[in-house]
Amino acid sequence: MANNKPIIFVLGGPGCGKGTQCERIVRDFGFLHLSAGDLLRDEVKRKSELGKKCEQLMKDGKLVPAEVTLSLLSKAMKDANNAKGYLIDGFPRALEQAQAFDKTVGRPNLVIFLECPQDVMEKRLLKRGETSGRSDDNLETIMKRFETFQKESLPVIAFYRKLKAGLVLQQSSVPPPDMVYKEMELIIRKAITPVISTRDAYSQCSLWPGPDCPNILNMDNPI
Ligand code: ADP
Ligand code: AMP
């Protein structure tokens, strides 16, 4: 956790429904939603130097450099010091991003992997493209985004699976949005709730040394 605050990553192919599920998680858990794609699109809109560098890569369905997304995210996390937790959507999308985040920010409490067949994602993106105004919601770029996802982003899921058993929650995002969310809600709640506080842990065992014990500091901190 960053500053002891929960971090959840929401990953999956383009158009699988990351943003749609994040809306529901924010509604119920009050976390700060940070979408890597939205942060980048803001830079493009502002015509910042960074935005200019990224615009063409995004139109081509490629990943922008790792340090760009990492620095945008770390800044947004720092700026929102009072957030209850962080819901990070569309990051990490490459192994080097996952490793860099692990080193510089921390480890996620949960990695949600929304699984969706490519033909379903394609239909969703083409439909979204009718109104989204996004330069990458067109068939040619969508195909490139699928390729990038397969090659660069899927290995991230394997990385987190190896890191810790139970860290990855794999969920089909084919059913309607509320049904998808319902399947995940309890697991999310469990992942962000400290299992048991130190005080509770001690009070439940015969070794409870009493409140004056000098060896026990920060009794109310979660373990
Ligand atoms: P992502 O953030 O992964 O790109 P979105 O959440 O924007 O995906 O969803 C892509 C499109 O698919 C949106 O138009 C959204 O309304 C639709 N959508 C998302 N989840 C579902 C679902 N479970 N069933 C049907 N349509 C969905
Ligand atoms: P999204 O809004 O998640 O569909 O992302 C749109 C585009 O932004 C992607 O196709 C990439 O070009 C870029 N992008 C989003 N997230 C990342 C990331 N974590 N790393 C690199 N590029 C990203």
Side-chain angles (χ1 to χ4, degrees), residues 18 35-38 40-41 57-58 61-64 69 89-93 97 128 134 136 145:
K18 297 183 288 298
S35 151
D38 285 348
L40 288 165
R41 278 184 290 277
L57 289 166
M58 293 169 79
K62 292 188 179 141
L63 298 183
V64 311
T69 38
D89 156 0
F91 178 97
R93 261 179 156 108
Q97 295 181 10
R128 188 176 75 183
R134 279 179 54 165
D136 58 352
R145 289 160 73 194

Side-chain angles (χ1 to χ4, degrees), residues 13-21 89 124-125 128 173-177 180:
C16 67
K18 297 183 288 298
T20 302
Q21 292 307 315
D89 156 0
R124 287 181 184 177
L125 287 174
R128 188 176 75 183
S173 61
V174 175
V180 174

Side-chain angles (χ1 to χ4, degrees), residues 62-75:
K62 292 188 179 141
L63 298 183
V64 311
E67 62 275 13
V68 172
T69 38
L70 187 61
S71 73
L72 285 175
L73 274 177
S74 325
K75 183 177 181 310

Side-chain angles (χ1 to χ4, degrees), residues 87-146:
L87 182 61
I88 301 179
D89 156 0
F91 178 97
R93 261 179 156 108
L95 269 183
E96 57 171 336
Q97 295 181 10
Q99 286 156 349
F101 190 92
D102 210 70
K103 259 195 204 150
T104 58
V105 184
R107 200 155 282 186
N109 299 73
L110 185 68
V111 177
I112 296 175
F113 172 38
L114 297 174
E115 228 196 348
C116 195
Q118 194 166 301
D119 60 329
V120 176
M121 294 194 282
E122 183 185 318
K123 276 192 199 117
R124 287 181 184 177
L125 287 174
L126 288 173
K127 182 91 196 118
R128 188 176 75 183
E130 290 171 11
T131 53
S132 69
R134 279 179 54 165
S135 62
D136 58 352
D137 278 350
N138 61 77
L139 192 56
E140 195 189 342
T141 313
I142 288 169
M143 289 303 157
K144 291 181 184 161
R145 289 160 73 194
F146 287 150

Side-chain angles (χ1 to χ4, degrees), residues 3-219:
N3 297 327
N4 270 338
K5 288 178 186 166
I7 298 175
I8 299 179
F9 288 150
V10 182
L11 304 177
C16 67
K18 297 183 288 298
T20 302
Q21 292 307 315
C22 284
E23 281 173 21
R24 286 156 176 78
I25 299 171
V26 168
R27 178 194 66 202
D28 292 356
F29 293 90
F31 286 3
L32 176 72
H33 176 211
L34 295 171
S35 151
D38 285 348
L39 289 171
L40 288 165
R41 278 184 290 277
D42 285 348
E43 291 299 315
V44 172
K45 249 191 234 152
R46 287 200 310 116
K47 297 192 191 307
S48 66
E49 279 311 307
L50 204 69
K52 284 182 205 160
K53 258 197 222 162
C54 297
E55 192 171 13
Q56 194 55 47
L57 289 166
M58 293 169 79
K59 273 188 192 152
D60 289 343
K62 292 188 179 141
L63 298 183
V64 311
E67 62 275 13
V68 172
T69 38
L70 187 61
S71 73
L72 285 175
L73 274 177
S74 325
K75 183 177 181 310
M77 289 174 82
K78 266 190 207 135
D79 288 350
N81 238 335
N82 53 352
K84 276 169 78 176
Y86 303 97
L87 182 61
I88 301 179
D89 156 0
F91 178 97
R93 261 179 156 108
L95 269 183
E96 57 171 336
Q97 295 181 10
Q99 286 156 349
F101 190 92
D102 210 70
K103 259 195 204 150
T104 58
V105 184
R107 200 155 282 186
N109 299 73
L110 185 68
V111 177
I112 296 175
F113 172 38
L114 297 174
E115 228 196 348
C116 195
Q118 194 166 301
D119 60 329
V120 176
M121 294 194 282
E122 183 185 318
K123 276 192 199 117
R124 287 181 184 177
L125 287 174
L126 288 173
K127 182 91 196 118
R128 188 176 75 183
E130 290 171 11
T131 53
S132 69
R134 279 179 54 165
S135 62
D136 58 352
D137 278 350
N138 61 77
L139 192 56
E140 195 189 342
T141 313
I142 288 169
M143 289 303 157
K144 291 181 184 161
R145 289 160 73 194
F146 287 150
E147 214 182 296
T148 304
F149 172 68
Q150 290 287 339
K151 256 200 225 152
E152 302 194 51
S153 309
L154 266 183
V156 172
I157 305 296
F159 169 79
Y160 285 119
R161 274 196 219 289
K162 258 196 205 156
L163 203 61
K164 191 179 160 201
L167 184 60
V168 176
L169 160 60
Q170 184 165 339
Q171 169 66 45
S172 164
S173 61
V174 175
D178 286 333
M179 216 181 268
V180 174
Y181 177 65
K182 221 169 174 199
E183 291 281 320
M184 305 194 294
E185 189 185 350
L186 189 62
I187 299 168
I188 297 172
R189 208 168 285 286
K190 279 190 180 154
I192 60 165
T193 307
V195 181
I196 190 165
S197 76
T198 315
R199 183 185 292 276
D200 287 345
Y202 274 106
S203 66
Q204 282 171 22
C205 82
S206 56
L207 295 174
W208 172 245
D212 300 326
C213 175
N215 293 327
I216 297 181
L217 302 169
N218 294 325
M219 301 266 285

